[in-house]
Amino acid sequence: MLVTIIAFIVTIGIIVIVHEFGHFCAARLTGMRVKKFSIGFPPRMMSRQIGKTEFTIGWIPLGGYVQIAGMVDESLDGAEITGAPDEFLSKNLLQKVFALSAGVLLNYLTAFLIIAGLAAVLGIGVPAGTLVGEVLSDMPAQIAGVVSGDEIIAVNGQAVDSWDSLVKVVSTARDTVHLVVRRATGAEESMRLPTRDAG
């Protein structure tokens, strides 16, 4: 239970930091002055002024906000609109949209990069070969004697080396399918697998 709570807090924290960092970067790239970059809700844990921006960390890591000069945002603070060129309202429409949407865009980009990284490192997709993972109860494969860990190496006398080739051969069979499987022990065994059309 504790691990689940910690994992939830860490996940939310990462999402919030990435989201608010997106707003911050977009605002700075478009020449907007960022008054406050805040992660977490009060009470305040720590705060530091760097340049024109106050960076704040709160004790409750479930939200945050970026306060841009010249606009009322999630902080609900009153905006001091003076018409200065570094204020939100002084920017054109595209710059405003970019600053407002950058948080979500960076969240999507981060998720894509994480998934792509996992795919590159771990490999995600259809497994190579024809190794049997799970055999469903009372289905033809189990009835024929196929078990988890078997590798199907031939169907109806045709060698198969992928699930695509296996499916093609099985889908054209009208009666009984003859399988040759290699057990986890290395021994090969032949078996008959009845199809739905077998009467």
Side-chain angles (χ1 to χ4, degrees), residues 21 23 51 63 75 83 140 149 167 196:
F21 186 67
H23 288 308
S75 68
V167 169
R196 294 182 179 180

Side-chain angles (χ1 to χ4, degrees), residues 129-130 151-155 158-163 165-167 169 180:
T130 53
E151 181 184 4
I152 302 172
I153 59 177
V155 180
Q158 298 182 43
V160 292
D161 58 4
S162 69
W163 287 107
S165 60
L166 185 148
V167 169
V169 175
V180 177

Side-chain angles (χ1 to χ4, degrees), residues 7 13 26 39 62 70 72 75 77 85 90 95 97 100 114 117 120 136 142 147 171 177 195 198:
I39 298 298
L62 299 178
V72 177
S75 68
D77 291 334
S90 299
Q95 291 172 321
V97 170
L100 293 174
I114 290 173
L136 299 179
Q142 186 193 53
V147 298
S171 64
V177 174
T195 65

Side-chain angles (χ1 to χ4, degrees), residues 48-109:
R48 184 174 181 182
Q49 185 78 26
I50 301 177
K52 297 180 179 180
T53 305
E54 179 187 2
F55 292 87
T56 302
I57 299 177
W59 282 104
I60 305 174
L62 299 178
Y65 67 92
V66 171
Q67 184 182 11
I68 301 173
M71 70 175 293
V72 177
D73 60 9
E74 296 94 328
S75 68
L76 301 180
D77 291 334
E80 298 177 2
I81 301 173
T82 65
D86 60 358
E87 291 182 355
F88 178 80
L89 292 179
S90 299
K91 302 301 178 180
N92 62 46
L93 179 61
L94 288 179
Q95 291 172 321
K96 293 175 184 176
V97 170
F98 178 48
L100 293 174
S101 62
V104 174
L105 294 175
L106 192 57
N107 280 139
Y108 278 117
L109 177 61

